């Protein structure tokens, strides 16, 4: 115990009380093995579970209101009123292997700060205060979010009120001209992009800007360049992205936005719950961002230019009326609306509401239940709640054929997207391939590069690592259902 030191030091500013002076003043303290030191802060706080270390074994008392010397397993302790601290009533309590006395001038201020911090934490229910940017984003979401004609409407998360943007139409026109050159080289890409934008117009996502409004520029008018992206897993599907990161004169639309709070459930938590029970169910929200309306007050900030064919000289102007892929605030806004819609059904359908808030990763739902009947009910309840907020679910899959058939009969759309063929059971789930029949995750590995293996080409570091990875097993067994997940 000689190496353990516990010190509680009290005193007055500018004073140093020595044990020698106490011993000379109080006869009963003379001869005790207690020395003095100064400028020492407390190092260790001993809890009540180690009370035996500080329990008095022997006590030496003087007259009333004089210090008392107590022997403990940690050494001698001197406690009580010290007469030379006039009028302040300071107590001196010290303990080490050889108890010592010191003066700590700022102890009272430090204790006040600790207590104040503790009280502030109690007022916030034990949670630290939100950063100002996050608090503003949440305030905007709560104030501006509306439910209009069966769908939610949000305002863009501007960093400040009355922000102004430069007129960037010339930049958007240059970007369109660059895209036009690519579309001339790849006419099939133009057909695909025309089809996507036509579909958006049909669904009400996009609207042509009336001529009367083209000349009405506001301080927040901004033209969004557009470009196509495709996935290696779905090469035939084109997605149009609105480039909110494009800069003009040092400004971009994203630089004016708050990203908002991170409302995503951690991916590992979603996957663990997905593996928890026997019956697994998965689906995803169709075009999640586009299901959220943008406030008409912010339509001026989502204008884009488009030519339907190469013969058009002057492009048409359109406004995007929904949240876009590319805007910094879109993920937070979409998650907030999804959770807000679920909260409307918290009392009536609590399990479905919890599933929507906790068993979704972005637009993907992955959940599991122990019984088939519970899985079917949960799937139908989640489908119903999402539909009430304007979020259609599709691509339903399950490791139970009875669940697949039950969900597939809910509507013609689900039946069309369900693949009930027993020979084709692998579906894409969060970047991995889930074989619902065997209930395992797989990684699809491209074929080896034979030129690299034969040494006819010099490989890059990335290619070497890629070929090494192909030697690994192409299945990821994430534990049996009902057992801990292993990654």
């Amino acid at each position: 115990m000689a190496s353990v030191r516990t010190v509680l030091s009290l005193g007055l500013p500018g004073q140093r009380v020595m044990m020698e002076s106490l011993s000379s003043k109080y006869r009963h303290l003379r001869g005790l093995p207690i020395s003095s030191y100064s400028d020492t802060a407390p190092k260790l706080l001993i809890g009540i579970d180690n009370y035996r270390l500080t329990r008095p074994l022997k006590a030496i008392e003087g007259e009333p209101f004089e210090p008392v010397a107590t022997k403990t397993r940690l050494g001698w302790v001197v406690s009580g009123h010290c007469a030379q601290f006039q009028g302040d009533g300071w107590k001196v309590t010290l303990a080490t292997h050889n108890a010592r006395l010191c003066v700590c001038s700022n102890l009272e201020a430090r204790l006040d700060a600790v207590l104040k911090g503790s009280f502030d934490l109690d007022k916030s229910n034990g949670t630290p205060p939100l950063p100002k940017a996050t608090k503003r984003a949440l305030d905007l979401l709560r104030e501006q979010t509306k439910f209009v004609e069966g769908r939610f409407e949000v305002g863009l998360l501007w960093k400040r009120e009355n922000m102004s943007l430069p007129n960037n139409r010339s930049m958007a026109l240059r970007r369109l001209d660059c895209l036009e050159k690519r579309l001339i080289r790849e006419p099939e890409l133009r057909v695909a992009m025309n089809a996507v934008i036509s579909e958006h117009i049909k669904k009400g996502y996009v609207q042509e800007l009336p001529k009367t409004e083209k000349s009405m520029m506001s301080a927040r008018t901004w033209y969004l360049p557009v470009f196509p992206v495709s996935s290696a897993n779905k090469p035939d599907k084109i997605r149009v992205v609105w480039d909110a990161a494009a800069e003009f004169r040092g400004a971009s639309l994203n630089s004016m936005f708050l990203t908002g709070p991170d409302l995503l459930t951690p991916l590992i938590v979603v996957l663990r719950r997905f593996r928890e029970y026997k019956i697994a169910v998965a689906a995803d929200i169709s075009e999640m961002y586009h299901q959220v309306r943008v406030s008409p007050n912010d339509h001026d900030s989502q204008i884009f230019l488009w030519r339907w064919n190469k013969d058009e000289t002057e492009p048409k102007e359109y406004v995007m009326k929904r949240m876009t892929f590319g805007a910094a605030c879109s993920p937070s806004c979409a998650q907030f609306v999804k959770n807000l819609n679920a909260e409307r059904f918290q009392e009536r359908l609590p399990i479905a509401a919890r599933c929507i808030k906790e068993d979704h990763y972005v637009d993907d739902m992955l959940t599991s239940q122990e019984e088939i009947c519970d899985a079917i009910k949960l799937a139908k309840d989640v489908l119903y709640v999402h539909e009430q907020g304007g979020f259609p679910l599709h691509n339903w899959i399950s490791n139970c054929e009875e669940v697949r058939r039950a969900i597939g009969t809910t509507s013609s759309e689900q039946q069309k997207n369900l693949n009930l063929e027993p020979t084709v059971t692998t579906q894409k789930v969060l970047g991995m391939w889930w074989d619902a029949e065997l209930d395992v995750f797989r990684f699809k590995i491209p074929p080896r590069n034979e030129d690299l293996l034969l040494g006819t080409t010099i490989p890059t570091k990335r290619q070497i690592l890629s070929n090494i990875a192909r030697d690994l097993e192409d299945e990821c067994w994430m534990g049996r259902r009902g057992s801990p997940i292993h990654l």
Side-chain angles (χ1 to χ4, degrees), residues 205-273:
Y205 304 167
V206 170
Q207 179 182 353
E208 185 174 359
L209 197 64
K211 294 181 179 180
T212 56
E213 296 184 17
K214 289 182 180 181
S215 59
M216 298 174 62
M217 301 288 292
S218 70
R220 288 183 176 177
T221 296
W222 188 263
Y223 288 82
L224 287 169
V226 296
F227 63 91
V229 295
S230 59
S231 170
N233 299 310
K234 300 177 181 178
D236 297 331
K237 183 178 180 180
I238 297 296
R239 173 178 289 176
V240 176
V241 176
W242 284 261
D243 190 0
E247 292 189 0
F248 179 73
R249 295 180 183 174
S252 70
L253 196 61
N254 275 348
S255 67
M256 305 294 172
F257 288 158
L258 299 166
T259 57
D262 182 6
L263 301 175
L264 284 178
T265 303
L267 177 58
I268 188 63
V269 175
V270 175
L271 287 174
R272 185 175 67 245
R273 289 177 180 149

Side-chain angles (χ1 to χ4, degrees), residues 25-28 61-69 79-83:
K25 185 169 185 177
Y26 302 111
R27 181 178 300 179
H28 65 284
E61 299 182 11
E63 298 296 327
F65 305 109
E66 289 185 353
V68 176
S79 58
H81 291 281
C82 186

Side-chain angles (χ1 to χ4, degrees), residues 433-453:
W433 293 93
W434 177 43
D435 188 329
E437 190 70 22
L438 297 177
D439 198 11
V440 296
F441 284 98
R442 299 177 182 270
F443 296 97
K444 288 196 172 183
I445 300 175
R448 295 175 179 273
N449 189 324
E450 296 298 332
D451 291 336
L452 294 179
L453 297 178

Side-chain angles (χ1 to χ4, degrees), residues 74-355:
L74 293 177
W76 282 92
V77 176
V78 178
S79 58
H81 291 281
C82 186
Q84 71 185 88
F85 295 157
Q86 297 293 334
D88 294 279
W90 283 79
K91 295 181 180 179
V92 181
T93 304
L94 315 112
T96 70
H97 177 61
N98 291 313
R100 302 177 181 182
L101 183 68
C102 70
V103 176
C104 184
S105 61
N106 64 341
L107 180 65
E108 185 177 27
R110 292 192 320 202
L111 289 175
D112 286 345
V114 171
L115 287 174
K116 184 177 183 298
S118 176
F119 293 149
D120 290 341
L121 196 61
D122 289 340
K123 290 179 182 178
S124 62
N125 296 322
T127 58
L130 293 173
K132 289 184 178 179
T134 303
K135 184 178 183 303
R136 171 174 169 78
L138 281 172
D139 290 342
L140 289 174
L141 286 168
R142 294 183 183 119
E143 293 169 6
Q144 299 179 359
T145 302
K146 303 176 182 177
F147 191 66
V148 182
E149 298 177 354
R151 197 174 297 276
F152 284 90
E153 176 184 290
V154 300
L156 299 178
L157 303 184
W158 299 97
K159 288 183 177 179
R160 297 180 300 278
E161 296 294 336
N162 303 320
M163 298 186 70
S164 60
L165 296 167
N167 184 351
N168 73 325
R169 191 179 189 279
S170 59
M171 180 270 287
L173 186 58
R174 287 196 303 271
R175 289 281 300 269
L176 180 63
D177 291 340
C178 291
L179 177 60
E180 187 72 36
K181 295 177 182 177
R182 179 184 174 187
L183 298 180
I184 291 174
R185 297 193 305 269
E186 305 175 32
E188 68 283 356
L189 181 59
R190 182 193 297 276
V191 173
M193 290 193 69
N194 282 346
V196 172
I197 295 176
S198 296
E199 187 68 16
H200 286 354
I201 294 174
K202 182 180 178 181
K203 292 179 178 179
Y205 304 167
V206 170
Q207 179 182 353
E208 185 174 359
L209 197 64
K211 294 181 179 180
T212 56
E213 296 184 17
K214 289 182 180 181
S215 59
M216 298 174 62
M217 301 288 292
S218 70
R220 288 183 176 177
T221 296
W222 188 263
Y223 288 82
L224 287 169
V226 296
F227 63 91
V229 295
S230 59
S231 170
N233 299 310
K234 300 177 181 178
D236 297 331
K237 183 178 180 180
I238 297 296
R239 173 178 289 176
V240 176
V241 176
W242 284 261
D243 190 0
E247 292 189 0
F248 179 73
R249 295 180 183 174
S252 70
L253 196 61
N254 275 348
S255 67
M256 305 294 172
F257 288 158
L258 299 166
T259 57
D262 182 6
L263 301 175
L264 284 178
T265 303
L267 177 58
I268 188 63
V269 175
V270 175
L271 287 174
R272 185 175 67 245
R273 289 177 180 149
F274 183 59
R275 306 293 295 178
E276 189 171 3
Y277 299 109
K278 291 190 299 185
I279 310 301
V281 182
D284 61 79
I285 302 172
S286 176
E287 299 178 325
M288 181 178 179
Y289 290 178
H290 294 343
Q291 307 303 338
V292 182
R293 286 193 175 104
V294 170
S295 171
N297 296 330
D298 292 323
H299 283 179
D300 287 352
S301 302
Q302 297 199 150
I303 301 173
F304 69 98
L305 306 174
W306 186 246
R307 294 190 185 97
W308 294 96
N309 58 71
K310 62 181 181 180
D311 298 326
E312 292 183 3
T313 55
E314 187 65 22
K316 291 182 172 60
E317 295 189 6
Y318 295 88
V319 60
M320 182 62 179
K321 300 164 63 178
R322 304 296 178 91
M323 298 302 298
T324 65
F325 294 98
C329 59
S330 289
S332 184
C333 289
Q335 292 298 317
F336 179 85
V337 167
K338 173 184 71 69
N339 293 346
L340 182 63
N341 179 60
E343 289 171 2
R344 298 193 299 153
F345 298 87
Q346 184 67 50
E347 294 185 3
R348 182 153 55 114
L349 299 170
I351 299 178
R354 186 203 64 79
C355 175

